[in-house]
Amino acid sequence: MTPVHQLAGAAGSALDAAYAAYFASIAQADTPRDGTVRHRLRPEVGDGTIEVTSLRSGFRILRYDVAFAGGHQVRFAFPGDHFELEHCVDGRMHIRETSTGAGDLRANSVSLSPRCATDGVIAHGDGERYRAVSINGTWTGLESYLGGLGTGALPAVGPDHVARERYLGRSDALRPAAGPLEEIFLHRRSSPGRLLFMESRLVAAMAALVDGLTAAAPPVDARDSVVLDEHEVAALRRVPDLLWRARHAPPTLAELARASSMSVRRLVTGFRALYGTSVMDYHRRRCLDRAAALLVETDWPVARIGHEVGYASPSNFGYAFRRDRGTTPARFRRAHS
């Protein structure tokens, strides 16, 4: 039987102690360096590391690159002030929360904790590799950390179904934060500016989060209600994969609508209601996120990576990447190698 670990405590030192006890039960900690403690899983637990970098105002960055032998379960109970923003770079983690429901945090998804107490279980499959970056602390600490720079724009709990979608990684309104968070995960250089770089990417992720959560939805008339039937949700959830499989010759909105058995307008408004962004913006973000990962994880030429993610020419890929990340693909690779 897979043992169930415990992770619970009040905000602050009690929760910090719970994290420390959890890490000590499954891993061996290296001597801290570069402001980071690396917890290496014990052989009987699995393979991989959990890296913890402490920041200001009680915040920390956790980078997971783990595969648990025999599976792994953690029962959690967090207070209402607990803040956690997690981006799954690769793999899958199952979440079951008492009030929220159940779902899988999968590659390219982002999860945001609600402003209320949560409790439940997270589970990893036997030998399944999970790579993710998590920012955690407190909601009140977040206001102190950023000095009021826009955090007042972050919504409170909101409607139950909205909080549920966000917590289970299903709200694409969180997707803009994925880029800066993935840069944190990929950054492995040891340099004097390392912590400053990670802090800067955290601030960028929070800026993207504020923008994503407060973006005004387009006007919708009564004929195109954003209340979706189950079969419509199922059809809309197939759209990202349809686009990815045909990324070298993407279908038009009209073709996607026919494949989804709905009108173009219903497809557009329904997709935005479900994912928080437009169809093509979602697809563009997925392609560029994949390109960023390939630049770091492979030695493929930039032109090959651009073609792999669907760009017809290296110049188009270079322009799109530079506009999205603020740097060229080659410079991005050098900075994260």
Side-chain angles (χ1 to χ4, degrees), residues 68-90:
F68 293 100
H72 189 73
Q73 293 188 32
V74 179
R75 183 174 297 280
F76 64 89
F78 296 136
D81 197 33
H82 178 70
F83 172 88
E84 187 161 12
L85 179 68
E86 184 157 341
H87 169 47
C88 175
V89 177
D90 189 29

Side-chain angles (χ1 to χ4, degrees), residues 2-27:
T2 301
V4 180
H5 299 267
Q6 303 293 325
L7 188 55
S13 59
L15 192 54
D16 290 344
Y19 268 101
Y22 166 60
F23 293 146
S25 70
I26 65 171

Side-chain angles (χ1 to χ4, degrees), residues 39 53 84 142 213 224 240 254 256 261 284 302 312 323 332:
H39 301 272
T53 303
E84 187 161 12
L142 180 64
L213 291 178
D224 285 302
L256 287 171
S261 300
R284 178 186 61 82
V302 170
R323 183 177 179 183
F332 181 89

Side-chain angles (χ1 to χ4, degrees), residues 77-138:
F78 296 136
D81 197 33
H82 178 70
F83 172 88
E84 187 161 12
L85 179 68
E86 184 157 341
H87 169 47
C88 175
V89 177
D90 189 29
R92 180 182 70 92
M93 178 178 71
H94 184 72
I95 306 172
R96 186 174 70 252
E97 202 276 329
T98 301
S99 301
T100 301
D104 290 334
L105 189 62
R106 296 179 180 273
N108 301 315
S109 57
V110 180
S111 169
L112 175 66
S113 57
R115 284 183 170 178
C116 61
T118 56
D119 67 271
V121 175
I122 60 174
H124 298 268
D126 181 11
E128 289 185 347
R129 179 67 59 174
Y130 182 69
R131 296 183 174 93
V133 58
S134 173
I135 311 297
N136 68 42
T138 63

Side-chain angles (χ1 to χ4, degrees), residues 113-188:
S113 57
R115 284 183 170 178
C116 61
T118 56
D119 67 271
V121 175
I122 60 174
H124 298 268
D126 181 11
E128 289 185 347
R129 179 67 59 174
Y130 182 69
R131 296 183 174 93
V133 58
S134 173
I135 311 297
N136 68 42
T138 63
W139 284 95
T140 53
L142 180 64
E143 297 170 3
S144 172
Y145 181 85
L146 295 177
L149 297 177
T151 56
L154 284 172
V157 176
D160 286 345
H161 73 281
V162 173
R164 183 184 306 116
E165 292 291 298
R166 291 174 185 163
Y167 195 54
L168 298 179
R170 296 173 182 165
S171 171
D172 205 55
L174 308 180
R175 285 277 298 163
L181 292 174
E182 187 162 338
E183 290 187 68
I184 292 175
F185 179 84
L186 295 172
H187 189 74
R188 303 293 170 179

Side-chain angles (χ1 to χ4, degrees), residues 8 74 121 156 202 209 226 241 263 268 329 335:
V74 179
V121 175
L202 171 55
L209 187 65
V226 292
D241 285 338
S263 69
V268 170

